[in-house]
Amino acid sequence: MERWLNKVAVVTGASSGIGAATTKNLIEAGFQVIGLARRIDRLNELKSQLPFDKRQQLTVSHCDVSCTASVDGAFNEILQKFGGIDVLINNAGCLMGGQLCTMDIQDLEKILQTNVMGVVRCTQIAFKSMKERDVNGHIIMMNSINGHKVLTALPKLPMTNMYTPAKYALTAITDIYRQEFAALKTKIKITSISPGLVDTEMVHEKVRQKHANCMLDPDDVAHAILYALSTPMDVQVHEIMIRPLGEMF
């Protein structure tokens, strides 16, 4: 990890769960981290929890990835202050309960805008920065088991609606990026991380009660991200699927 010392990593959805755990792990690894989220108060709380001598490694900024103007504004500030982006963790996500056949169309559009188009826009800006500086950059896509299989086990009435199609889109988008990055002769890696059930705020309470003893900790996923970042420059870990032991669906 020495080559990443003082490099710039951007983490979307950094205020809780996997994003917060990843932010802490990246700081411990020596990155300069920019944590982006809608809940700036939670970001500041996260910063206050860091050891005093590490707090200068975290810059917090408001960003709603479902809004292109918000993404552009936040990333422009990052580029002006830090000069470039070396690692992007596309972690921000949106999940709403309901069925695809009856949900409000605006809620479904919000899921797609956050989980797909927000990822695309953040990646476009980070890619441009990495390519222009000809750096060995790395982009991480926070995918899901839902991006490889339509889950119906929890609960019996399907609740993943547009979330699963959005994650399937990330699976395809990740491979498209891999091919584009190679064809454009860049040194940029792309990795998809697909966790099973993770103990985060997004988990429905009924699911939490049923699977309380069979969930990943956010740190488990953060460690997988660090593993992908730690590989040699000529090694690209394209997909990591990580599931809690005993998961049945």
Side-chain angles (χ1 to χ4, degrees), residues 144-170:
S144 170
I145 294 296
N146 285 273
H148 304 270
K149 179 181 180 181
V150 178
L151 304 181
T152 57
L154 60 139
K156 291 184 178 179
L157 180 63
M159 297 285 285
T160 57
N161 49 77
M162 192 59 77
Y163 182 81
T164 293
K167 291 301 184 180
Y168 263 82
L170 280 192

mmCIF file of all heavy atoms in Angstrom, residues 144-170:
data_model
loop_
_atom_site.group_PDB
_atom_site.id
_atom_site.type_symbol
_atom_site.label_atom_id
_atom_site.label_comp_id
_atom_site.label_asym_id
_atom_site.label_seq_id
_atom_site.Cartn_x
_atom_site.Cartn_y
_atom_site.Cartn_z
ATOM 1 N N SER A 144 -23.336 -5.556 -5.576
ATOM 2 C CA SER A 144 -24.107 -6.348 -4.620
ATOM 3 C C SER A 144 -24.328 -7.740 -5.188
ATOM 4 O O SER A 144 -24.266 -7.946 -6.409
ATOM 5 C CB SER A 144 -25.468 -5.682 -4.371
ATOM 6 O OG SER A 144 -26.329 -6.522 -3.625
ATOM 7 N N ILE A 145 -24.618 -8.693 -4.302
ATOM 8 C CA ILE A 145 -25.113 -9.994 -4.759
ATOM 9 C C ILE A 145 -26.322 -9.787 -5.662
ATOM 10 O O ILE A 145 -26.560 -10.529 -6.612
ATOM 11 C CB ILE A 145 -25.473 -10.883 -3.548
ATOM 12 C CG1 ILE A 145 -24.209 -11.244 -2.753
ATOM 13 C CG2 ILE A 145 -26.201 -12.136 -3.993
ATOM 14 C CD1 ILE A 145 -23.214 -12.092 -3.506
ATOM 15 N N ASN A 146 -27.088 -8.726 -5.369
ATOM 16 C CA ASN A 146 -28.265 -8.393 -6.184
ATOM 17 C C ASN A 146 -27.902 -8.065 -7.625
ATOM 18 O O ASN A 146 -28.779 -8.053 -8.486
ATOM 19 C CB ASN A 146 -29.013 -7.199 -5.578
ATOM 20 C CG ASN A 146 -29.810 -7.566 -4.354
ATOM 21 O OD1 ASN A 146 -30.956 -7.983 -4.450
ATOM 22 N ND2 ASN A 146 -29.196 -7.430 -3.188
ATOM 23 N N GLY A 147 -26.649 -7.763 -7.874
ATOM 24 C CA GLY A 147 -26.213 -7.482 -9.237
ATOM 25 C C GLY A 147 -25.888 -8.727 -10.031
ATOM 26 O O GLY A 147 -25.490 -8.646 -11.198
ATOM 27 N N HIS A 148 -26.061 -9.902 -9.398
ATOM 28 C CA HIS A 148 -25.762 -11.174 -10.057
ATOM 29 C C HIS A 148 -26.909 -12.173 -9.959
ATOM 30 O O HIS A 148 -26.927 -13.164 -10.680
ATOM 31 C CB HIS A 148 -24.510 -11.800 -9.420
ATOM 32 C CG HIS A 148 -23.314 -10.903 -9.437
ATOM 33 N ND1 HIS A 148 -22.408 -10.883 -10.474
ATOM 34 C CD2 HIS A 148 -22.884 -9.965 -8.555
ATOM 35 C CE1 HIS A 148 -21.459 -9.985 -10.221
ATOM 36 N NE2 HIS A 148 -21.733 -9.416 -9.062
ATOM 37 N N LYS A 149 -27.850 -11.898 -9.062
ATOM 38 C CA LYS A 149 -28.941 -12.837 -8.837
ATOM 39 C C LYS A 149 -30.152 -12.077 -8.294
ATOM 40 O O LYS A 149 -30.006 -11.217 -7.429
ATOM 41 C CB LYS A 149 -28.500 -13.900 -7.819
ATOM 42 C CG LYS A 149 -29.555 -14.934 -7.482
ATOM 43 C CD LYS A 149 -29.021 -15.923 -6.446
ATOM 44 C CE LYS A 149 -30.074 -16.959 -6.094
ATOM 45 N NZ LYS A 149 -29.587 -17.918 -5.070
ATOM 46 N N VAL A 150 -31.318 -12.393 -8.808
ATOM 47 C CA VAL A 150 -32.547 -11.795 -8.291
ATOM 48 C C VAL A 150 -32.953 -12.563 -7.036
ATOM 49 O O VAL A 150 -33.279 -13.742 -7.093
ATOM 50 C CB VAL A 150 -33.685 -11.848 -9.326
ATOM 51 C CG1 VAL A 150 -34.967 -11.266 -8.731
ATOM 52 C CG2 VAL A 150 -33.294 -11.089 -10.584
ATOM 53 N N LEU A 151 -32.906 -11.876 -5.887
ATOM 54 C CA LEU A 151 -33.182 -12.524 -4.610
ATOM 55 C C LEU A 151 -34.672 -12.460 -4.289
ATOM 56 O O LEU A 151 -35.299 -11.406 -4.412
ATOM 57 C CB LEU A 151 -32.388 -11.850 -3.496
ATOM 58 C CG LEU A 151 -30.865 -11.778 -3.693
ATOM 59 C CD1 LEU A 151 -30.217 -11.100 -2.504
ATOM 60 C CD2 LEU A 151 -30.275 -13.172 -3.882
ATOM 61 N N THR A 152 -35.222 -13.582 -3.855
ATOM 62 C CA THR A 152 -36.644 -13.623 -3.496
ATOM 63 C C THR A 152 -36.876 -14.186 -2.096
ATOM 64 O O THR A 152 -37.994 -14.299 -1.654
ATOM 65 C CB THR A 152 -37.435 -14.491 -4.495
ATOM 66 O OG1 THR A 152 -36.855 -15.808 -4.522
ATOM 67 C CG2 THR A 152 -37.396 -13.891 -5.880
ATOM 68 N N ALA A 153 -35.803 -14.521 -1.396
ATOM 69 C CA ALA A 153 -35.940 -15.203 -0.102
ATOM 70 C C ALA A 153 -36.325 -14.280 1.038
ATOM 71 O O ALA A 153 -36.828 -14.730 2.048
ATOM 72 C CB ALA A 153 -34.642 -15.925 0.243
ATOM 73 N N LEU A 154 -36.081 -12.961 0.910
ATOM 74 C CA LEU A 154 -36.356 -12.080 2.038
ATOM 75 C C LEU A 154 -36.884 -10.738 1.568
ATOM 76 O O LEU A 154 -36.222 -10.064 0.806
ATOM 77 C CB LEU A 154 -35.091 -11.858 2.884
ATOM 78 C CG LEU A 154 -33.848 -11.232 2.242
ATOM 79 C CD1 LEU A 154 -33.220 -10.257 3.192
ATOM 80 C CD2 LEU A 154 -32.865 -12.287 1.834
ATOM 81 N N PRO A 155 -38.076 -10.321 2.079
ATOM 82 C CA PRO A 155 -39.095 -11.248 2.576
ATOM 83 C C PRO A 155 -39.755 -11.964 1.405
ATOM 84 O O PRO A 155 -39.295 -11.807 0.275
ATOM 85 C CB PRO A 155 -40.061 -10.297 3.284
ATOM 86 C CG PRO A 155 -39.927 -9.025 2.513
ATOM 87 C CD PRO A 155 -38.497 -8.934 2.084
ATOM 88 N N LYS A 156 -40.836 -12.701 1.655
ATOM 89 C CA LYS A 156 -41.447 -13.462 0.566
ATOM 90 C C LYS A 156 -42.000 -12.552 -0.517
ATOM 91 O O LYS A 156 -41.985 -12.895 -1.700
ATOM 92 C CB LYS A 156 -42.532 -14.384 1.121
ATOM 93 C CG LYS A 156 -41.988 -15.539 1.963
ATOM 94 C CD LYS A 156 -43.081 -16.476 2.424
ATOM 95 C CE LYS A 156 -42.488 -17.632 3.225
ATOM 96 N NZ LYS A 156 -43.536 -18.565 3.707
ATOM 97 N N LEU A 157 -42.529 -11.408 -0.137
ATOM 98 C CA LEU A 157 -42.978 -10.430 -1.124
ATOM 99 C C LEU A 157 -41.745 -9.645 -1.582
ATOM 100 O O LEU A 157 -41.113 -8.975 -0.771
ATOM 101 C CB LEU A 157 -44.020 -9.485 -0.517
ATOM 102 C CG LEU A 157 -44.570 -8.397 -1.452
ATOM 103 C CD1 LEU A 157 -45.311 -9.022 -2.625
ATOM 104 C CD2 LEU A 157 -45.492 -7.460 -0.673
ATOM 105 N N PRO A 158 -41.363 -9.727 -2.835
ATOM 106 C CA PRO A 158 -40.131 -9.058 -3.296
ATOM 107 C C PRO A 158 -40.147 -7.569 -2.980
ATOM 108 O O PRO A 158 -41.167 -6.886 -3.150
ATOM 109 C CB PRO A 158 -40.149 -9.300 -4.813
ATOM 110 C CG PRO A 158 -40.966 -10.539 -4.982
ATOM 111 C CD PRO A 158 -42.017 -10.470 -3.914
ATOM 112 N N MET A 159 -39.004 -7.063 -2.498
ATOM 113 C CA MET A 159 -38.903 -5.667 -2.090
ATOM 114 C C MET A 159 -37.745 -4.937 -2.773
ATOM 115 O O MET A 159 -37.494 -3.778 -2.470
ATOM 116 C CB MET A 159 -38.715 -5.591 -0.562
ATOM 117 C CG MET A 159 -39.875 -6.128 0.250
ATOM 118 S SD MET A 159 -41.287 -5.028 0.288
ATOM 119 C CE MET A 159 -40.691 -3.778 1.426
ATOM 120 N N THR A 160 -37.044 -5.611 -3.671
ATOM 121 C CA THR A 160 -35.841 -4.980 -4.237
ATOM 122 C C THR A 160 -36.140 -4.144 -5.476
ATOM 123 O O THR A 160 -35.269 -3.397 -5.929
ATOM 124 C CB THR A 160 -34.776 -6.028 -4.579
ATOM 125 O OG1 THR A 160 -35.324 -6.988 -5.485
ATOM 126 C CG2 THR A 160 -34.291 -6.728 -3.323
ATOM 127 N N ASN A 161 -37.339 -4.275 -6.041
ATOM 128 C CA ASN A 161 -37.827 -3.442 -7.143
ATOM 129 C C ASN A 161 -36.735 -3.000 -8.126
ATOM 130 O O ASN A 161 -36.144 -3.833 -8.805
ATOM 131 C CB ASN A 161 -38.629 -2.254 -6.593
ATOM 132 C CG ASN A 161 -37.946 -1.489 -5.476
ATOM 133 O OD1 ASN A 161 -37.039 -0.704 -5.698
ATOM 134 N ND2 ASN A 161 -38.390 -1.723 -4.235
ATOM 135 N N MET A 162 -36.438 -1.697 -8.179
ATOM 136 C CA MET A 162 -35.459 -1.186 -9.138
ATOM 137 C C MET A 162 -34.016 -1.324 -8.646
ATOM 138 O O MET A 162 -33.066 -1.152 -9.416
ATOM 139 C CB MET A 162 -35.753 0.292 -9.441
ATOM 140 C CG MET A 162 -34.973 0.858 -10.638
ATOM 141 S SD MET A 162 -35.282 -0.028 -12.182
ATOM 142 C CE MET A 162 -36.897 0.641 -12.633
ATOM 143 N N TYR A 163 -33.825 -1.662 -7.374
ATOM 144 C CA TYR A 163 -32.478 -1.803 -6.823
ATOM 145 C C TYR A 163 -31.709 -2.915 -7.525
ATOM 146 O O TYR A 163 -30.552 -2.751 -7.914
ATOM 147 C CB TYR A 163 -32.569 -2.088 -5.318
ATOM 148 C CG TYR A 163 -31.240 -2.218 -4.616
ATOM 149 C CD1 TYR A 163 -30.523 -1.079 -4.236
ATOM 150 C CD2 TYR A 163 -30.695 -3.467 -4.330
ATOM 151 C CE1 TYR A 163 -29.307 -1.195 -3.576
ATOM 152 C CE2 TYR A 163 -29.484 -3.589 -3.669
ATOM 153 C CZ TYR A 163 -28.793 -2.443 -3.302
ATOM 154 O OH TYR A 163 -27.581 -2.556 -2.661
ATOM 155 N N THR A 164 -32.353 -4.060 -7.712
ATOM 156 C CA THR A 164 -31.684 -5.183 -8.373
ATOM 157 C C THR A 164 -31.331 -4.867 -9.823
ATOM 158 O O THR A 164 -30.178 -5.090 -10.238
ATOM 159 C CB THR A 164 -32.543 -6.460 -8.273
ATOM 160 O OG1 THR A 164 -32.601 -6.862 -6.897
ATOM 161 C CG2 THR A 164 -31.940 -7.588 -9.085
ATOM 162 N N PRO A 165 -32.238 -4.336 -10.653
ATOM 163 C CA PRO A 165 -31.848 -3.965 -12.008
ATOM 164 C C PRO A 165 -30.704 -2.947 -12.045
ATOM 165 O O PRO A 165 -29.828 -3.007 -12.922
ATOM 166 C CB PRO A 165 -33.124 -3.367 -12.602
ATOM 167 C CG PRO A 165 -34.230 -4.007 -11.843
ATOM 168 C CD PRO A 165 -33.697 -4.194 -10.449
ATOM 169 N N ALA A 166 -30.703 -2.024 -11.070
ATOM 170 C CA ALA A 166 -29.624 -1.033 -11.026
ATOM 171 C C ALA A 166 -28.286 -1.704 -10.738
ATOM 172 O O ALA A 166 -27.251 -1.334 -11.317
ATOM 173 C CB ALA A 166 -29.926 0.027 -9.967
ATOM 174 N N LYS A 167 -28.270 -2.687 -9.851
ATOM 175 C CA LYS A 167 -27.029 -3.391 -9.537
ATOM 176 C C LYS A 167 -26.605 -4.296 -10.697
ATOM 177 O O LYS A 167 -25.402 -4.443 -10.969
ATOM 178 C CB LYS A 167 -27.186 -4.196 -8.242
ATOM 179 C CG LYS A 167 -27.314 -3.331 -6.998
ATOM 180 C CD LYS A 167 -26.109 -2.416 -6.813
ATOM 181 C CE LYS A 167 -26.187 -1.632 -5.514
ATOM 182 N NZ LYS A 167 -25.018 -0.744 -5.317
ATOM 183 N N TYR A 168 -27.554 -4.888 -11.396
ATOM 184 C CA TYR A 168 -27.214 -5.627 -12.615
ATOM 185 C C TYR A 168 -26.550 -4.683 -13.620
ATOM 186 O O TYR A 168 -25.608 -5.065 -14.322
ATOM 187 C CB TYR A 168 -28.463 -6.249 -13.234
ATOM 188 C CG TYR A 168 -28.687 -7.697 -12.881
ATOM 189 C CD1 TYR A 168 -29.292 -8.060 -11.674
ATOM 190 C CD2 TYR A 168 -28.312 -8.716 -13.748
ATOM 191 C CE1 TYR A 168 -29.509 -9.383 -11.342
ATOM 192 C CE2 TYR A 168 -28.523 -10.051 -13.436
ATOM 193 C CZ TYR A 168 -29.123 -10.376 -12.229
ATOM 194 O OH TYR A 168 -29.337 -11.697 -11.908
ATOM 195 N N ALA A 169 -27.054 -3.464 -13.694
ATOM 196 C CA ALA A 169 -26.454 -2.478 -14.594
ATOM 197 C C ALA A 169 -25.002 -2.209 -14.209
ATOM 198 O O ALA A 169 -24.127 -2.102 -15.072
ATOM 199 C CB ALA A 169 -27.257 -1.181 -14.563
ATOM 200 N N LEU A 170 -24.717 -2.139 -12.894
ATOM 201 C CA LEU A 170 -23.339 -1.911 -12.451
ATOM 202 C C LEU A 170 -22.419 -3.056 -12.869
ATOM 203 O O LEU A 170 -21.250 -2.835 -13.186
ATOM 204 C CB LEU A 170 -23.277 -1.744 -10.935
ATOM 205 C CG LEU A 170 -23.651 -0.381 -10.357
ATOM 206 C CD1 LEU A 170 -23.255 -0.329 -8.883
ATOM 207 C CD2 LEU A 170 -22.985 0.749 -11.114
#
